[in-house]
Amino acid sequence: MTSRPQIPFNLPTRAATELAYVAQAFESGHTSASGEFARRAAQIIADDTGAAEVLMTTSCTSALELSGMLMDFQPGETVIVPSFTFSASALAFAREGARLIFCDIEPETLGLDPNHVAELLDDSVRAVVPVHYAGIGARMEALDEVLARRPDVAVIEDNAHGLFGTLNGRPLGGLGALATQSFHETKNFSCGEGGALVINDESYLDRARVLYDKGTNRRAFFLGQVDKYSWRDTGSSFGLSDLLAAGLTAQLEERKAIQGRRQEIFEQYAALLGPPADELGFTIPVVPAGREPAWHMFYLLLPDNPTRDRLLAELRENGIQATFHYVPLHSSKGGHRFAARETDCPVSTDVSGRLIRLPFHNHLSDGDVDRVADTVLEVLR
Ligand SMILES: *Cc1c(COP(=O)(O)O)cnc(C)c1O
């Protein structure tokens, strides 16, 4: 075994003012949801996405659940979700009573394939959930065309990877009627567990505020719109504690530096691994025209599954924690259980078997990135 230090796959982002902000939240006495730091974090996200309002939540999963509640699904209604995504993108809607239609991804961005959406779209569909995989904008231009004649179908962006990325100059997270963010330990900005619901379509605003606040119109009360508040509707306790929002606010305020460093790491990997890729039979992420990525990850697509697994094993032996990604949902146990019908997602299956994610986080040094890239090339040669 090697005596060289381990290179972890992920280490949470930290900001210089993080601990001071957390202490300030403690001392303020307001440690529950809807505090001053939650307001500041939400404002930064709203300013970037152009949202009507941003509600800070306990996770991206809970923000997806909140958006599912807003859909008010009737029996037989469905949601189109990519097969190549995290369980939560689908689970949240299944939990709110929708059946799922699993859609394939397209091979360049690894985002939802608009042609497959067009094939799958029927009268049962109430929402479509694009994911901007790796923080690279999905084919939203084509998706908008497919959905142009279906104003009854809501686009809910699962933007867990995409905050501060853009597509044709428009912010990821600002493209759907609703969008959801994740501040889980593994994301670009993190407070352990956290998330946000980005409300772009104002028609959801009033009800979203009620569902967010345990089914009460407490928010309207604080906005001076009513003189007392009471129970109105379904909902849950979705709010992010201000202790967590404090650390997150510190990171969001340093977004330029954090995203800048991630871009450098991405570009260093691309410069080292791009040129020999063709000859060795693998590919690096494609950034189609008009996209500024959110620099969430760096992945490789190997020629076949055995090569991927061998590379994973050999990187681990060399102290480098690379990893695979999603097992396609359409072929999972939960997917079978909640699917409206069986669908074919061959690209998802193929990509899942060939994809490897390299270490990617703000604590990597240039030397670490060199070492990872060198080891990848040694193994493949
Ligand atoms: C991380 C992630 C989620 C879940 O985020 P949580 O904040 O952990 O609930 C959902 N969707 C995608 C695409 C993710 O990467």
Side-chain angles (χ1 to χ4, degrees), residues 58-62 64 85-89 131 158-161 180-184 186-187 193-195 296 325-326:
T58 52
S59 66
C60 183
T61 304
S62 67
L64 286 161
T85 185
F86 188 53
S87 61
S89 322
V131 174
D158 178 344
N159 195 34
H161 302 182
T180 63
Q181 304 299 150
S182 176
F183 303 113
H184 184 265
T186 52
K187 301 307 197 295
E193 302 275 0
H296 176 58
H325 213 186
Y326 309 124

Side-chain angles (χ1 to χ4, degrees), residues 120-180:
L120 297 172
L121 198 61
D122 62 25
D123 289 346
S124 73
V125 177
R126 286 288 316 285
V128 177
V129 184
V131 174
H132 306 297
Y133 187 75
I136 296 169
R139 300 271 176 208
M140 300 298 285
E141 313 94 318
L143 181 65
D144 285 347
E145 269 174 44
V146 170
L147 296 177
R149 284 203 275 162
R150 291 293 303 274
D152 56 317
V153 175
V155 173
I156 302 171
E157 293 174 83
D158 178 344
N159 195 34
H161 302 182
L163 187 61
F164 304 129
T166 65
L167 197 167
N168 297 330
R170 296 172 64 202
L172 304 183
L175 306 173
L178 301 165
T180 63

Side-chain angles (χ1 to χ4, degrees), residues 1 5 11 43 45 50 175 199 209 227 246 259 270 286 289 295 326:
M1 288 299 291
L11 284 175
Q43 190 64 52
I45 299 166
L175 306 173
I199 302 168
R209 287 172 175 165
D227 59 11
Q259 293 295 81
V286 176
W295 319 112
Y326 309 124

